[in-house]
Amino acid sequence: MISAFYCFILSAAMFSLGILVFVIKKNFFLMLIGLEIMINSCLLLFISSGNYWNDALGQIIYIFIITISAVEVCINLSLLFKFYKINNTLNVNSLSELKK
Amino acid sequence: MKFMFFISSFILLASIFFIIFGSNLLYSTLLLIVSFLSTSIIFFLLGSYLAGFLHVIIYSGAILLLFVFVIMIINSSSRFISTIDVKNVVKICIYFFICIVFFLDITYPMYKCFNGTKFFQLVSPDRVGIVLFSDYFFVIELSAVLLLEALIITFYFNKDYKDF
């Protein structure tokens, strides 16, 4: 049987790697990928906690977070389109030129 | 069961490492799909079948397909990510040290609380549905309103006023 401790370690490692992807990469698209990894680790933590205490609330919060993630992806990808249309690149170092 | 858990965890973490050191947007997206599929395997192993199915259908089937469509539309096949050079390696080492400290800071109290004394129990989809549509019906309505807001915001972001 799987212990709860393994799942918590796995979610913490995923969150750390997601932060690493978000901070290191200068690409808008890869920053979104890092954000998705972080959200995924939170989902794993909620599911494992809910199953650990035999509570259905973990999966309900999972459904709510997955909706928020879909909303976030929609808005961020539309922002990415606008960004790419203006700058013709996905490098976030040119983000200060978004106002033009 | 434990062996499957470790195998899928290894695939998950390895795919995220390959995302960090990769140099192509499309490969990174495909590796993200692999990591999400391995996460859904972990959900199945933990006994939450509804979350596992939703993870495959919504994340890997809808959201990441949107990512792939975006890559195709912006046509950035020639614009690869810059590969990691010496400056970035130093930066990665510093950030990884910070992440390891963060990791230990989180997991040490968990290790004291959850030292493998209790195991996971099955939470069936029936029970989730009953609780969701009785006590937490507000969550469904709020999710629907959020999705509608996302539709409106996306429309106004990409609306070109010169065409109207």
PDB file of all heavy atoms in Angstrom, chain B residues 33-52:
ATOM      1  N   ILE B  33       2.284  16.645 -21.203  1.00  0.00           N
ATOM      2  CA  ILE B  33       1.188  15.676 -21.327  1.00  0.00           C
ATOM      3  C   ILE B  33       1.576  14.353 -20.660  1.00  0.00           C
ATOM      4  O   ILE B  33       0.773  13.744 -19.941  1.00  0.00           O
ATOM      5  CB  ILE B  33       0.826  15.467 -22.812  1.00  0.00           C
ATOM      6  CG1 ILE B  33       0.192  16.730 -23.384  1.00  0.00           C
ATOM      7  CG2 ILE B  33      -0.127  14.311 -22.991  1.00  0.00           C
ATOM      8  CD1 ILE B  33      -0.062  16.669 -24.859  1.00  0.00           C
ATOM      9  N   VAL B  34       2.821  13.925 -20.849  1.00  0.00           N
ATOM     10  CA  VAL B  34       3.293  12.685 -20.214  1.00  0.00           C
ATOM     11  C   VAL B  34       3.238  12.812 -18.696  1.00  0.00           C
ATOM     12  O   VAL B  34       2.795  11.897 -17.979  1.00  0.00           O
ATOM     13  CB  VAL B  34       4.724  12.362 -20.689  1.00  0.00           C
ATOM     14  CG1 VAL B  34       5.319  11.238 -19.866  1.00  0.00           C
ATOM     15  CG2 VAL B  34       4.727  11.975 -22.139  1.00  0.00           C
ATOM     16  N   SER B  35       3.656  13.975 -18.181  1.00  0.00           N
ATOM     17  CA  SER B  35       3.636  14.153 -16.725  1.00  0.00           C
ATOM     18  C   SER B  35       2.207  14.151 -16.194  1.00  0.00           C
ATOM     19  O   SER B  35       1.930  13.582 -15.124  1.00  0.00           O
ATOM     20  CB  SER B  35       4.349  15.448 -16.349  1.00  0.00           C
ATOM     21  OG  SER B  35       3.561  16.553 -16.625  1.00  0.00           O
ATOM     22  N   PHE B  36       1.272  14.724 -16.949  1.00  0.00           N
ATOM     23  CA  PHE B  36      -0.125  14.732 -16.486  1.00  0.00           C
ATOM     24  C   PHE B  36      -0.735  13.330 -16.539  1.00  0.00           C
ATOM     25  O   PHE B  36      -1.524  12.965 -15.660  1.00  0.00           O
ATOM     26  CB  PHE B  36      -0.955  15.695 -17.322  1.00  0.00           C
ATOM     27  CG  PHE B  36      -0.759  17.128 -16.924  1.00  0.00           C
ATOM     28  CD1 PHE B  36      -1.342  18.148 -17.641  1.00  0.00           C
ATOM     29  CD2 PHE B  36       0.003  17.470 -15.827  1.00  0.00           C
ATOM     30  CE1 PHE B  36      -1.166  19.458 -17.280  1.00  0.00           C
ATOM     31  CE2 PHE B  36       0.199  18.772 -15.454  1.00  0.00           C
ATOM     32  CZ  PHE B  36      -0.395  19.777 -16.180  1.00  0.00           C
ATOM     33  N   LEU B  37      -0.348  12.561 -17.557  1.00  0.00           N
ATOM     34  CA  LEU B  37      -0.858  11.185 -17.618  1.00  0.00           C
ATOM     35  C   LEU B  37      -0.321  10.343 -16.460  1.00  0.00           C
ATOM     36  O   LEU B  37      -1.062   9.538 -15.877  1.00  0.00           O
ATOM     37  CB  LEU B  37      -0.489  10.546 -18.957  1.00  0.00           C
ATOM     38  CG  LEU B  37      -1.263  11.078 -20.165  1.00  0.00           C
ATOM     39  CD1 LEU B  37      -0.742  10.436 -21.430  1.00  0.00           C
ATOM     40  CD2 LEU B  37      -2.742  10.810 -20.021  1.00  0.00           C
ATOM     41  N   SER B  38       0.937  10.563 -16.104  1.00  0.00           N
ATOM     42  CA  SER B  38       1.474   9.819 -14.960  1.00  0.00           C
ATOM     43  C   SER B  38       0.821  10.279 -13.659  1.00  0.00           C
ATOM     44  O   SER B  38       0.605   9.469 -12.747  1.00  0.00           O
ATOM     45  CB  SER B  38       2.988   9.945 -14.895  1.00  0.00           C
ATOM     46  OG  SER B  38       3.363  11.276 -14.925  1.00  0.00           O
ATOM     47  N   THR B  39       0.455  11.566 -13.588  1.00  0.00           N
ATOM     48  CA  THR B  39      -0.289  12.036 -12.407  1.00  0.00           C
ATOM     49  C   THR B  39      -1.657  11.366 -12.327  1.00  0.00           C
ATOM     50  O   THR B  39      -2.116  10.997 -11.234  1.00  0.00           O
ATOM     51  CB  THR B  39      -0.473  13.558 -12.469  1.00  0.00           C
ATOM     52  OG1 THR B  39       0.765  14.160 -12.757  1.00  0.00           O
ATOM     53  CG2 THR B  39      -0.967  14.094 -11.156  1.00  0.00           C
ATOM     54  N   SER B  40      -2.290  11.189 -13.480  1.00  0.00           N
ATOM     55  CA  SER B  40      -3.599  10.525 -13.464  1.00  0.00           C
ATOM     56  C   SER B  40      -3.458   9.058 -13.055  1.00  0.00           C
ATOM     57  O   SER B  40      -4.333   8.513 -12.367  1.00  0.00           O
ATOM     58  CB  SER B  40      -4.281  10.656 -14.824  1.00  0.00           C
ATOM     59  OG  SER B  40      -3.637   9.850 -15.752  1.00  0.00           O
ATOM     60  N   ILE B  41      -2.343   8.411 -13.425  1.00  0.00           N
ATOM     61  CA  ILE B  41      -2.096   7.039 -12.961  1.00  0.00           C
ATOM     62  C   ILE B  41      -1.983   7.015 -11.440  1.00  0.00           C
ATOM     63  O   ILE B  41      -2.519   6.129 -10.762  1.00  0.00           O
ATOM     64  CB  ILE B  41      -0.818   6.487 -13.625  1.00  0.00           C
ATOM     65  CG1 ILE B  41      -1.049   6.249 -15.108  1.00  0.00           C
ATOM     66  CG2 ILE B  41      -0.390   5.177 -12.982  1.00  0.00           C
ATOM     67  CD1 ILE B  41       0.200   5.914 -15.856  1.00  0.00           C
ATOM     68  N   ILE B  42      -1.312   8.031 -10.883  1.00  0.00           N
ATOM     69  CA  ILE B  42      -1.187   8.113  -9.423  1.00  0.00           C
ATOM     70  C   ILE B  42      -2.562   8.292  -8.784  1.00  0.00           C
ATOM     71  O   ILE B  42      -2.870   7.685  -7.747  1.00  0.00           O
ATOM     72  CB  ILE B  42      -0.231   9.252  -9.038  1.00  0.00           C
ATOM     73  CG1 ILE B  42       1.187   8.891  -9.433  1.00  0.00           C
ATOM     74  CG2 ILE B  42      -0.267   9.529  -7.541  1.00  0.00           C
ATOM     75  CD1 ILE B  42       2.166   9.995  -9.294  1.00  0.00           C
ATOM     76  N   PHE B  43      -3.417   9.105  -9.419  1.00  0.00           N
ATOM     77  CA  PHE B  43      -4.781   9.287  -8.889  1.00  0.00           C
ATOM     78  C   PHE B  43      -5.543   7.962  -8.886  1.00  0.00           C
ATOM     79  O   PHE B  43      -6.258   7.649  -7.933  1.00  0.00           O
ATOM     80  CB  PHE B  43      -5.555  10.315  -9.714  1.00  0.00           C
ATOM     81  CG  PHE B  43      -5.104  11.722  -9.507  1.00  0.00           C
ATOM     82  CD1 PHE B  43      -5.485  12.720 -10.381  1.00  0.00           C
ATOM     83  CD2 PHE B  43      -4.315  12.070  -8.436  1.00  0.00           C
ATOM     84  CE1 PHE B  43      -5.081  14.019 -10.194  1.00  0.00           C
ATOM     85  CE2 PHE B  43      -3.886  13.362  -8.242  1.00  0.00           C
ATOM     86  CZ  PHE B  43      -4.270  14.337  -9.127  1.00  0.00           C
ATOM     87  N   PHE B  44      -5.389   7.192  -9.965  1.00  0.00           N
ATOM     88  CA  PHE B  44      -6.046   5.881 -10.008  1.00  0.00           C
ATOM     89  C   PHE B  44      -5.515   4.967  -8.911  1.00  0.00           C
ATOM     90  O   PHE B  44      -6.272   4.233  -8.281  1.00  0.00           O
ATOM     91  CB  PHE B  44      -5.830   5.221 -11.371  1.00  0.00           C
ATOM     92  CG  PHE B  44      -6.758   5.707 -12.432  1.00  0.00           C
ATOM     93  CD1 PHE B  44      -6.288   6.392 -13.526  1.00  0.00           C
ATOM     94  CD2 PHE B  44      -8.118   5.482 -12.327  1.00  0.00           C
ATOM     95  CE1 PHE B  44      -7.140   6.841 -14.506  1.00  0.00           C
ATOM     96  CE2 PHE B  44      -8.978   5.927 -13.306  1.00  0.00           C
ATOM     97  CZ  PHE B  44      -8.486   6.618 -14.386  1.00  0.00           C
ATOM     98  N   LEU B  45      -4.193   5.036  -8.687  1.00  0.00           N
ATOM     99  CA  LEU B  45      -3.609   4.173  -7.658  1.00  0.00           C
ATOM    100  C   LEU B  45      -4.064   4.568  -6.260  1.00  0.00           C
ATOM    101  O   LEU B  45      -4.162   3.726  -5.365  1.00  0.00           O
ATOM    102  CB  LEU B  45      -2.082   4.233  -7.729  1.00  0.00           C
ATOM    103  CG  LEU B  45      -1.429   3.575  -8.942  1.00  0.00           C
ATOM    104  CD1 LEU B  45       0.060   3.807  -8.920  1.00  0.00           C
ATOM    105  CD2 LEU B  45      -1.715   2.096  -8.930  1.00  0.00           C
ATOM    106  N   LEU B  46      -4.342   5.870  -6.073  1.00  0.00           N
ATOM    107  CA  LEU B  46      -4.792   6.322  -4.756  1.00  0.00           C
ATOM    108  C   LEU B  46      -6.254   5.999  -4.501  1.00  0.00           C
ATOM    109  O   LEU B  46      -6.733   6.160  -3.390  1.00  0.00           O
ATOM    110  CB  LEU B  46      -4.583   7.834  -4.609  1.00  0.00           C
ATOM    111  CG  LEU B  46      -3.155   8.343  -4.655  1.00  0.00           C
ATOM    112  CD1 LEU B  46      -3.117   9.831  -4.454  1.00  0.00           C
ATOM    113  CD2 LEU B  46      -2.341   7.676  -3.582  1.00  0.00           C
ATOM    114  N   GLY B  47      -6.979   5.612  -5.532  1.00  0.00           N
ATOM    115  CA  GLY B  47      -8.365   5.224  -5.340  1.00  0.00           C
ATOM    116  C   GLY B  47      -9.373   6.284  -5.678  1.00  0.00           C
ATOM    117  O   GLY B  47     -10.560   6.116  -5.404  1.00  0.00           O
ATOM    118  N   SER B  48      -8.954   7.405  -6.295  1.00  0.00           N
ATOM    119  CA  SER B  48      -9.911   8.440  -6.702  1.00  0.00           C
ATOM    120  C   SER B  48     -10.056   8.362  -8.218  1.00  0.00           C
ATOM    121  O   SER B  48      -9.335   9.024  -8.965  1.00  0.00           O
ATOM    122  CB  SER B  48      -9.436   9.811  -6.255  1.00  0.00           C
ATOM    123  OG  SER B  48      -8.147  10.042  -6.717  1.00  0.00           O
ATOM    124  N   TYR B  49     -11.011   7.526  -8.644  1.00  0.00           N
ATOM    125  CA  TYR B  49     -11.166   7.258 -10.081  1.00  0.00           C
ATOM    126  C   TYR B  49     -11.736   8.448 -10.829  1.00  0.00           C
ATOM    127  O   TYR B  49     -11.379   8.710 -11.972  1.00  0.00           O
ATOM    128  CB  TYR B  49     -12.053   6.032 -10.292  1.00  0.00           C
ATOM    129  CG  TYR B  49     -11.555   4.805  -9.589  1.00  0.00           C
ATOM    130  CD1 TYR B  49     -12.358   4.077  -8.738  1.00  0.00           C
ATOM    131  CD2 TYR B  49     -10.252   4.363  -9.783  1.00  0.00           C
ATOM    132  CE1 TYR B  49     -11.897   2.947  -8.089  1.00  0.00           C
ATOM    133  CE2 TYR B  49      -9.775   3.242  -9.146  1.00  0.00           C
ATOM    134  CZ  TYR B  49     -10.598   2.537  -8.295  1.00  0.00           C
ATOM    135  OH  TYR B  49     -10.124   1.443  -7.656  1.00  0.00           O
ATOM    136  N   LEU B  50     -12.619   9.203 -10.175  1.00  0.00           N
ATOM    137  CA  LEU B  50     -13.219  10.365 -10.835  1.00  0.00           C
ATOM    138  C   LEU B  50     -12.153  11.399 -11.182  1.00  0.00           C
ATOM    139  O   LEU B  50     -12.125  11.938 -12.304  1.00  0.00           O
ATOM    140  CB  LEU B  50     -14.280  10.980  -9.906  1.00  0.00           C
ATOM    141  CG  LEU B  50     -15.011  12.195 -10.457  1.00  0.00           C
ATOM    142  CD1 LEU B  50     -15.925  11.788 -11.581  1.00  0.00           C
ATOM    143  CD2 LEU B  50     -15.811  12.881  -9.367  1.00  0.00           C
ATOM    144  N   ALA B  51     -11.243  11.648 -10.225  1.00  0.00           N
ATOM    145  CA  ALA B  51     -10.183  12.624 -10.469  1.00  0.00           C
ATOM    146  C   ALA B  51      -9.245  12.136 -11.562  1.00  0.00           C
ATOM    147  O   ALA B  51      -8.785  12.926 -12.396  1.00  0.00           O
ATOM    148  CB  ALA B  51      -9.417  12.877  -9.177  1.00  0.00           C
ATOM    149  N   GLY B  52      -8.975  10.824 -11.593  1.00  0.00           N
ATOM    150  CA  GLY B  52      -8.112  10.290 -12.635  1.00  0.00           C
ATOM    151  C   GLY B  52      -8.710  10.456 -14.020  1.00  0.00           C
ATOM    152  O   GLY B  52      -8.038  10.899 -14.949  1.00  0.00           O
TER     153      GLY B  52
END
